[in-house]
Amino acid sequence: DTGVSQNPRHKITKRGQNVTFRCDPISEHNRLYWYRQTLGQGPEFLTYFQNEAQLEKSRLLSDRFSAERPKGSFSTLEIQRTEQGDSAMYLCASSLGSPDGYTFGSGTRLTVV
Amino acid sequence: QKEVEQDPGPLSVPEGAIVSLNCTYSNSAFQYFMWYRQYSRKGPELLMYTYSSGNKEDGRFTAQVDKSSKYISLFIRDSQPSDSATYLCAMSSLTGGFKTIFGAGTRLFVKA
C-alpha cells in the first residue's frame, strides 16, 4: 500500500462546470476525511465517512458539494456549478479511527477560471 | 474568533537554532494535539502527536501541551535547512469523530 492517493493532482475548469475528485484511502482505514485548503490557511474540515456512512458535513459544504464513499472504499467529491471561490487544494485523509494515524494524500489543486 | 490561533510567520532562523512554534485554542473539549509538517504542494505529514497535557520528545522535536492555558508548543532543536516547511498545529476530540481542526500554519525558513 503506497498511502492515500488522490486524482487528479491538478484540475483547471471554467466557472459553471462540474468537477469530480477521487480519493483512494489506505485499504484498512475505515475513516475517510475531506478537507479544503486555501493559500496561507490550514486545512478546513468538509466531511467525513466511517466506512460507507457519511457522518458529518461542515457548514462549508454548500448544496453544490456532494461526497460519496460507495462500499466503504474509495471516495469521490463532486462540485457542481463551480465558482471562482472554489479554487483551493482539496485534501483527503484516512485513518483507523484514532488521530495519530491520520494520513493525508497529496491533494487535488482546483483552479476555477 | 477562530478555534485555533497560530502565528503565520514567516519565521526565519539560522541553521542550528532552536525553533519555537506555538498555538492557542479555545475549545476545552480538545483532547488530542498534533503537529503536522507540510512542504509546498504536498499534503500535511503527521510529525508529533500528544494526548492531553504533557511533553513528548522524538529526536530533535519536542511537543508540549498545557491544557490549563490552552496552549501548545513545538520545539525543534539543531534546526536544519530541510526543516524549512509550514508547520500546522492541529487538534481533535473523540466526540468530534476525530475531525481535526487546524491552525493557519507557520512558515519556517532555516538558512544554511
Side-chain angles (χ1 to χ4, degrees):
Chain A
D1 199 330
T2 56
V4 178
S5 175
Q6 291 190 247
N7 288 288
R9 291 295 310 276
H10 305 276
K11 179 72 177 178
I12 300 175
T13 190
K14 291 183 178 179
R15 189 174 53 189
Q17 297 294 305
N18 299 344
V19 294
T20 300
F21 311 139
R22 177 178 171 125
C23 172
D24 288 272
I26 292 172
S27 56
E28 61 266 30
H29 284 183
N30 61 341
R31 291 196 180 200
L32 187 149
Y33 303 80
W34 284 99
Y35 285 81
R36 180 173 69 188
Q37 186 176 25
T38 53
L39 196 62
Q41 298 298 316
E44 295 175 294
F45 170 78
L46 293 178
T47 188
Y48 90 94
F49 294 83
Q50 181 164 308
N51 300 313
E52 66 273 12
Q54 188 173 19
L55 296 186
E56 187 172 345
K57 293 170 61 173
S58 163
R59 288 168 296 186
L60 292 174
L61 218 63
S62 74
D63 291 345
R64 298 184 297 106
F65 288 71
S66 62
E68 293 183 341
R69 193 183 182 196
K71 302 179 182 178
S73 56
F74 71 91
S75 177
T76 57
L77 178 68
E78 181 183 17
I79 309 174
Q80 296 182 329
R81 304 181 304 281
T82 51
E83 302 172 355
Q84 286 190 319
D86 297 331
S87 296
M89 173 82 89
Y90 290 84
L91 292 162
C92 174
S94 69
S95 81
L96 271 172
S98 64
D100 62 334
Y102 229 72
T103 303
F104 278 91
S106 292
T108 294
R109 183 171 298 277
L110 173 67
T111 302
V112 181
V113 297
Chain B
Q1 184 188 4
K2 293 184 177 180
E3 277 190 286
V4 179
E5 297 280 358
Q6 182 176 10
D7 186 339
L11 181 62
S12 183
V13 301
E15 183 176 359
I18 296 174
V19 176
S20 173
L21 304 169
N22 310 290
C23 288
T24 59
Y25 63 95
S26 57
N27 188 347
S28 58
F30 289 139
Q31 302 161 290
Y32 303 92
F33 303 91
M34 287 75 68
W35 286 94
Y36 284 82
R37 179 172 60 195
Q38 186 173 27
Y39 293 111
S40 181
R41 300 188 180 279
K42 298 287 188 182
E45 166 194 19
L46 182 64
L47 197 59
M48 298 286 284
Y49 157 74
T50 309
Y51 172 68
S52 194
S53 284
N55 295 356
K56 185 171 185 178
E57 186 172 323
D58 184 1
R60 296 184 295 112
F61 299 89
T62 299
Q64 291 184 349
V65 175
D66 182 349
K67 289 192 70 178
S68 63
S69 302
K70 296 189 178 66
Y71 188 85
I72 72 170
S73 302
L74 177 70
F75 298 95
I76 307 174
R77 291 183 298 280
D78 187 25
S79 56
Q80 303 295 311
S82 59
D83 294 329
S84 298
T86 296
Y87 290 80
L88 298 154
C89 63
M91 304 164 195
S92 67
S93 66
L94 176 60
T95 53
F98 298 128
K99 79 180 180 200
T100 301
I101 308 301
F102 287 85
T106 300
R107 291 198 68 189
L108 172 66
F109 297 94
V110 181
K111 300 171 292 184

